[in-house]
Each structure stands twice: as C-alpha cells, then as structure tokens.
Amino acid sequence: MARPSGPVPDGAGAPGTGVRATSPARYAVGMFGTSIPINMFNTLGTYFYVVALGMDGRAFAAAMGIYAAIDALDNPVYGFLSDRTRTRFGRRKPWMVLATPALAIGLICFFWPPDALTGTALVVWFAVFTIITGTTDSMINANYGALLPELFRNEKRRALANGMRQGFQLLAMIISVAASPMLVDAFGYVSVAVVFGGVAAVVITFSALGAREDPAALGTDRPRIVASIKAMASNGKFWLIALTSGAYSSGMALVLAAVSFFVTFTLDLDLAYATYLLAAVIGSSVLCLALWTLLVRRFGPELVWRIALLTLALALLTCPGPNPWPRRSPTGWASGWATPG
C-alpha cells in the first residue's frame, strides 16, 4: 500500500483515533518540573551532607556508590516496564503520575533529616532518600522522554515541542542551579526543598495529564526481557552513546557539586556567593546557544557534538587545582527552616 503524501500527523491527533493532539507547550513545561528538584539535589546535596551536617566523606562515597549502581540499571528497567504497560490511560502517563509524589517527598526528606540523626543513622537516611529521589527522577524522565516521538510524529511540531522543552529546562537551571545557593542562604534548605518539590509535583502532573497518547500503541507487541537484553547488548551505538553520556553526566555532576565547596573553602565566601558563579556559567551558556545553533546548521549535529565534548574535556583537564582549603568549621546550617547568617 502506498504511503499517504503530505505531512505526517501527530500520533495522538491522527484522523480516526478520536484523540485530540497534544499541546507542545503543555508537554514542554514538564521539563521545568523534572529539572527543578534534581538540579537542587545535584548542586547542593553533597555540600549539605558533608559540610552542613558533617557526614564522613568515606561513608558518603560508599552510599553514593550504591546509588550509582542502581542508577545505571533503573533507566533500562523503567523503559522496559513502560513499553509493556497497557492501561486505558496510556503507557507512559501512569508511571509519571505515580512517581511524581514520590520524587517530591524524596527531595523534601533528603534535605530534612531529623536533628537527632548522626553517624550510621544519618548515612542510612542519606542513602535511602538519595535512592528514592534519584530513581523516581529516572522513572519520570524515562517516560517523559519516550513521549516526545510518540506524541509528535510531525517533525515540525516535534522540533517546536523540543525547542520549548529546552527553554523550560534552561529556566529551571537558572532557578534551581544558579539561584539555589542564595535561596538556601536566605530561607534554609528545607523551605527551598518544599517549594521546589511542590512546584515539580504540580507541573509534572499537569504536563502528564495533558499528554494524549495514541491508543494504537496499546496494540503493539510487548517486548520480552531476553530479546530486549540481547538487542541492547549487541548494539554498539547504544553502548557508545551510553558510555559517552555517562562520562559527560559524571563530569558535569562533579562541577555542579564542587562549586559550593570552591566558594566556601577556596574563596572563603558564604554559600550565597555560589549563585553569582553559577549564574555567570549559565548566562554564558545562553549567549553561546546562538553560536552552537549556527555551527550545527553548518556542520551537522554529530560533528558539533564531538567538538563540544572535546572542548568540555579540555576545560576540565586544564582547570587549575584549588589551593589547600582553609580550616573552616561547619556551622550546622539548614537542618531547620532557616539558615543562620
């Protein structure tokens, strides 16, 4: 049978499905909700437990090692489960809606340990809520990302939705990465975590409920676990992208976590000053977007992606090492609602 000519309609809004097309803006705003909590978690989590609460660095590293092992496996597992899901609400939305409250609660509890917790008990609390926050974030993003090509099969509408999504992600970075240190300094970790967790829950749920999944997808064959593992293991490009993305994410997570330490111990300034440093980084990134867009149009995304990764690697390798940290004792910040000055 000949394929119809003309633009490809969006899957959920295709003629005959009886389902309205998804709004690109409503889908895209979900990225704001998913980015807000995890950015605060990645930017200030290490500093909060090691400096503010005085957790032993070796115990912190051990707990993070357990989390890293789980985080390496949860995305493929959640993707597999999502592909096999069959409900009248769709395949992806139920997972997003169910995981969102757990993400918000996990973030709040992560930054609100009971004052009486010390030693091993504090490490256990840290490990439990690190895993809950991280793995629910993976569950939401695995399904949120899978929705993009399913909801927007028309290339122009998909590009529009993706462009808006990146804009919301940038806005979230300004608020939850750059502004977090200053907000925490003014209001305390708990207050900021409650607000960010609540905003994330509302925005993600709003975005998920607005997704109009194509009922035809429910009729597709459910993937089998053995076949899925074989397909993944034999796909060289998958491993290339996965390892590269893992190395990139590790480097950026290290930078985000280290900024607060650098400002406090090397520059000998209050945590709030980290906002200026992070804002300068994000601001310069915004200005460079136009340059990268021109380069992608001229040379293609693959070459520009490689150049960007090499540039990042060189920047990390040539970054000058910090001076020995001055001895500066933690002040027990922010296990309560406000941070002392």
Side-chain angles (χ1 to χ4, degrees):
M1 180 182 293
R3 303 181 70 176
S5 59
V8 179
D10 289 341
T17 63
V19 180
R20 289 183 290 117
T22 301
S23 163
R26 186 162 182 178
Y27 168 79
V29 76
M31 180 64 85
F32 180 83
T34 64
S35 299
I36 281 280
I38 205 64
N39 282 341
M40 181 185 181
F41 174 81
N42 289 334
T43 303
L44 295 176
T46 304
Y47 186 89
F48 175 65
Y49 274 88
V50 174
V51 177
L53 300 184
M55 180 184 291
D56 182 82
R58 292 166 296 184
F60 178 90
M64 286 300 295
I66 296 173
Y67 163 67
I70 295 173
D71 191 50
L73 299 174
D74 60 5
N75 266 291
V77 171
Y78 292 145
F80 174 78
L81 293 175
S82 177
D83 286 342
R84 291 183 60 84
T85 298
R86 300 291 184 271
T87 75
R88 65 188 183 93
F89 303 104
R91 296 187 295 172
R92 318 299 184 188
K93 287 194 296 185
W95 290 102
M96 293 179 64
V97 172
L98 289 173
T100 294
L103 173 63
I105 293 170
L107 179 76
I108 294 168
C109 291
F110 179 85
F111 284 106
W112 198 359
D115 292 335
L117 290 185
T118 58
T120 302
L122 182 62
V123 174
V124 171
W125 181 278
F126 164 76
V128 168
F129 287 103
T130 293
I131 292 170
I132 290 175
T133 304
T135 197
T136 51
D137 173 74
S138 295
M139 182 184 293
I140 292 168
N141 278 288
N143 287 277
Y144 179 72
L147 281 174
L148 179 64
E150 294 180 7
L151 297 178
F152 307 104
R153 297 182 182 177
N154 178 282
E155 290 186 10
K156 289 185 178 180
R157 283 177 61 82
R158 185 188 304 173
L160 173 63
N162 189 49
M164 297 176 69
R165 183 173 70 160
Q166 300 309 317
F168 280 117
Q169 182 181 39
L170 182 60
L171 177 61
M173 290 181 65
I174 294 172
I175 296 172
S176 59
V177 174
S180 279
M182 186 171 288
L183 292 173
V184 162
D185 189 68
F187 303 106
Y189 286 91
V190 176
S191 299
V192 177
V194 168
V195 172
F196 283 3
V199 169
V202 171
V203 172
I204 296 170
T205 303
F206 172 77
S207 176
L209 294 180
R212 313 289 182 179
E213 294 191 55
D214 187 354
L218 300 178
T220 59
D221 293 335
R222 300 187 183 189
R224 298 183 179 277
I225 184 65
V226 175
S228 298
I229 293 175
K230 287 182 177 179
M232 183 176 66
S234 60
N235 191 326
K237 292 184 177 180
F238 166 81
W239 289 106
L240 175 62
I241 297 297
L243 293 174
T244 304
S245 298
Y248 163 78
S249 298
S250 299
M252 293 310 299
L254 179 62
V255 170
L256 286 177
V259 167
S260 298
F261 288 88
F262 178 76
V263 168
T264 299
F265 295 107
T266 301
L267 301 183
D268 200 23
L269 297 171
D270 291 334
L271 176 63
Y273 284 89
T275 288
Y276 300 114
L277 184 57
L278 290 165
V281 173
I282 295 175
S284 62
S285 300
V286 173
L287 295 176
C288 287
L289 284 176
L291 172 62
W292 287 113
T293 301
L294 291 174
L295 291 175
V296 167
R297 290 177 178 174
R298 176 67 176 82
F299 300 105
E302 184 176 351
L303 178 60
V304 175
W305 180 60
R306 291 175 176 174
I307 293 173
L309 288 174
L310 288 174
T311 304
L312 174 63
L314 290 173
L316 291 173
L317 288 172
T318 56
C319 181
N323 296 322
W325 289 354
R327 293 290 180 181
R328 198 174 154 181
S329 60
T331 57
W333 292 338
S335 56
W337 285 89
T339 302

